[in-house]
Amino acid sequence: MAAATIALAGIILPVNADAGMGYAVVPTTIIYPGDTLSGSQLQEVEVTNPNLAGDYAKSISQVEGLVSKRTLLPGRTISVSALREPYTVTRGSSIRLVFSLGAMTISAAGTPLEDGATGQVVRARNMDSGVIVSGTVLADGTIHVRAK
């Protein structure tokens, strides 16, 4: 009985030591720059290389919905730095510019001059006056203009 317990412990311990290394996310198909990652294109695999280091993605929920900045190959780990948030506003689209100062709020039609994700500062053109302003992209797709 004791010999069986020791033999069983010898089998289980190495498996548990490897299990502590965690998981990495790898694509199942080629993902091209500009593509949005979906769960159907990804799988989580157990990390078996103790020398694997870096900023690789560890769960599908961490990268799902993000956009690839470069080509991702099947079976290769996904570097988090190779991904970006999707753009909230895109260059040339119609958006709303909002300027607030105290209780006063001014709103105008505008168009972004560059793509931008939520929280980024982008330049935009006021469609009524033609003036180019800078502002922060908000989650609802408006740009909050800063005072000069």
Side-chain angles (χ1 to χ4, degrees):
M1 179 77 165
T5 304
I6 292 171
L8 184 59
I11 293 170
I12 293 174
L13 287 178
V15 172
N16 287 340
D18 288 344
M21 294 177 64
Y23 290 89
V25 177
V26 297
T28 56
T29 62
I30 296 175
I31 299 172
Y32 294 100
D35 288 351
T36 302
L37 277 64
S38 70
S40 63
Q41 300 172 301
L42 307 169
Q43 71 179 24
E44 290 180 6
V45 296
E46 189 172 351
V47 175
T48 57
N49 182 353
N51 298 322
L52 182 63
D55 66 341
Y56 65 90
K58 294 171 179 57
S59 71
I60 292 176
S61 62
Q62 180 184 7
V63 296
E64 194 169 21
L66 297 179
V67 177
S68 175
K69 292 195 274 186
R70 58 179 173 250
T71 303
L72 305 175
L73 299 174
R76 306 286 306 255
T77 58
I78 298 174
S79 172
V80 176
S81 63
L83 306 173
R84 64 168 174 78
E85 291 289 328
Y87 292 133
T88 307
V89 297
T90 55
R91 186 177 74 189
S93 63
S94 294
I95 51 95
R96 178 77 28 214
L97 300 171
V98 177
F99 175 77
S100 298
L101 185 61
M104 178 182 69
T105 300
I106 300 171
S107 179
T111 184
L113 299 178
E114 53 201 1
D115 298 329
T118 302
Q120 282 186 314
V121 175
V122 296
R123 294 177 308 124
R125 181 181 314 276
N126 181 322
M127 298 303 288
D128 296 327
S129 67
V131 173
I132 296 175
V133 296
S134 292
T136 305
V137 178
L138 302 179
D140 64 358
T142 60
I143 296 179
H144 186 265
V145 179
R146 301 182 294 181
K148 289 187 176 185

